[in-house]
Amino acid sequence: MNTLRQTAIGALLAASTMMTALPASAETLTFVSWMKDEPGYGDWWNEIIAEFEETHDGVTINMSRVSRAEYADTMFTMFAGGNPPDIVHLAAFEFQPFANEGWMEPLGPWIEKSGLDMEGWAGQSTCEWEGETVCIMLLYTGFVMAYNEAIFEAAGMEVPTDWDSYLTAAKELRKDTDGDGILDQYGIALPFDDPASVMQEALNFVLDTGGSWTVDGEPAFDRPEVVEGLARYKTLFRDSLTPKELSSADVRQLLLEGRLAMTVDGGWINNTFRSAAPEVQQHLKITQSPFSPPLGGTSNVLGMSADMSDEKKQLVWDFIEMTASPKYQQRFAEWAKTPAPRPGVDYTQLKAGNPSFEVLAKAAEDAAAANVDRLPKGLELQNNEVVKVFYKVAQQMILQNLDPAEAATRLQDEVSRIKD
């Protein structure tokens, strides 16, 4: 992990001001998060912190915010500089290097001692590293399809439920609505300007054909199922069913403008509807993804620094255990308007007040049952490099007409070299 250490040490001075501002007394737990001021998530954290401090006399939690764009580098700096936060909050795709360095406390003994039941906890397998559980999964989302009901009704078409109906709708719902010879309504639109988004988008089709990027932790890009999934993905660009220059934000904007019939996205897409004009918003709905199993994704995790006194570790575990309690998992769903990872949470009232919640809950349940994650198992430490390789090969396949079988072979060879 030389690269990790160099990155951390190189950024040490840049974060020194923030680190010295964090209290280090035995009665203070330090906590850094990008969610501190976020509506919903931030409110949830504040509620837990308030009860924790009330029930732990003399103990305070000092929560500070670092922006998401600077988060990983700042955390690397803090850990490498010997001043990590006590409560460790990380994205699910970035905790692995920290665990690999031995910076995160194994939680298995704490879980066993407390009797916390992790059976069925959505996305929890992602928190396992080198045979140890090093974190608790805080959010797992299943992907759903957002669609414009008015566009489908005007065309007399049903909302797609599988690949064939998805492809048909993608073709039939393209339109030049103002007669100027330029398409201004699309059936589908896929992002193609960001490496991570491209690899994630392609995974929808690979999962639907029975493939996955890895099998038992080893690269599996050249398997027939993956080749078929890549071929479907290529078809959408080859037949000009989607533009080639869009970002994920562009795709969502087309939906909000009423110019896109459908898009498959994470459960958060439901919250973006409020940004649409009322005449569009009334027609925006969500339903289950037409791909099976649906893409799913672990989001963020909670753990503790390994470099603390036993007394402090007990306090941090008390905090983690509180976040995982039935009470605060229920409150998580209420604040975040999304299913909690803990099984058995009662969503009756949430479903009654928000019909979309039932769709989100089922999508997360289906993806978790299939053990799906956007981050390829076995390639966690090499994920950034793998994403770049995939994007390069995807560009060759789409822009240079590379055969999907050849693309799969190139991916297998290059990713295998990276892993070795």
Side-chain angles (χ1 to χ4, degrees), residues 334-350:
E334 292 166 0
W335 275 117
K337 308 302 182 188
T338 192
R342 184 181 182 116
V345 175
D346 184 3
Y347 299 131
T348 304
Q349 291 187 347
L350 285 166

Side-chain angles (χ1 to χ4, degrees), residues 89 150 177 342 355 360 373 378 384 389 409:
H89 187 212
T177 61
R342 184 181 182 116
L360 297 174
D373 200 348
N384 288 340
V389 167
T409 298

Side-chain angles (χ1 to χ4, degrees), residues 60-280:
T60 60
I61 294 180
N62 186 304
M63 186 179 188
S64 57
R65 182 184 182 277
V66 173
S67 70
R68 183 60 245 172
E70 301 170 352
Y71 199 80
D73 285 347
T74 300
M75 293 292 278
F76 290 158
T77 298
M78 296 180 74
F79 273 93
N83 193 19
D86 303 317
I87 301 168
V88 180
H89 187 212
L90 291 164
F93 58 81
E94 71 190 4
F95 81 84
Q96 293 83 5
F98 294 85
N100 201 57
E101 289 288 339
W103 288 341
M104 297 183 70
E105 173 80 2
L107 298 184
W110 296 94
I111 293 171
E112 183 177 357
K113 180 182 177 182
S114 69
L116 179 61
D117 185 3
M118 303 303 296
E119 182 70 26
W121 195 281
Q124 182 58 27
S125 63
T126 297
C127 277
E128 296 172 7
W129 188 255
E130 300 295 333
E132 299 277 4
T133 297
V134 296
C135 56
I136 301 295
M137 187 58 59
L138 289 179
L139 175 60
Y140 181 92
T141 183
F143 277 49
V144 297
M145 189 168 75
Y147 67 99
N148 187 312
E149 188 175 50
I151 292 177
F152 279 93
E153 288 181 349
M157 297 186 68
E158 297 291 329
V159 177
T161 57
D162 56 21
W163 161 251
D164 290 333
S165 54
Y166 172 87
L167 182 60
T168 298
K171 293 176 178 178
E172 296 297 324
L173 296 178
R174 292 176 299 167
K175 275 191 177 183
D176 168 16
T177 61
D178 56 13
D180 65 356
I182 300 174
L183 286 174
D184 47 29
Q185 175 183 292
Y186 296 92
I188 63 164
L190 307 182
F192 199 64
D193 80 327
D194 171 64
S197 296
V198 168
M199 188 169 181
Q200 175 178 288
E201 199 70 40
L203 186 54
N204 279 301
F205 307 98
V206 169
L207 289 171
D208 194 51
T209 53
S212 61
W213 299 140
T214 61
V215 173
D216 296 329
E218 296 298 323
F221 292 88
D222 58 351
R223 294 202 170 200
E225 301 88 350
V226 176
V227 174
E228 174 60 23
L230 292 176
R232 291 184 180 185
Y233 177 68
K234 179 182 178 180
T235 295
L236 304 174
F237 289 91
R238 183 198 66 203
D239 294 352
S240 300
L241 302 180
T242 173
K244 298 183 178 70
E245 68 280 355
L246 301 179
S247 67
S248 295
D250 294 331
V251 172
R252 293 176 188 131
Q253 187 59 34
L254 283 174
L255 182 73
L256 299 178
E257 292 174 358
R259 300 173 54 206
L260 180 63
M262 57 182 172
T263 182
V264 175
D265 206 337
W268 47 77
I269 189 68
N270 192 48
N271 290 329
T272 69
F273 291 174
R274 69 187 69 178
S275 299
E279 61 271 20
V280 176

Side-chain angles (χ1 to χ4, degrees), residues 385-404:
E385 295 175 84
V386 171
V387 165
K388 291 175 184 177
V389 167
F390 188 92
Y391 187 50
K392 178 187 71 175
V393 175
Q395 287 181 310
Q396 294 168 349
M397 187 172 67
I398 302 303
L399 303 178
Q400 301 172 20
N401 200 30
L402 180 68
D403 183 75

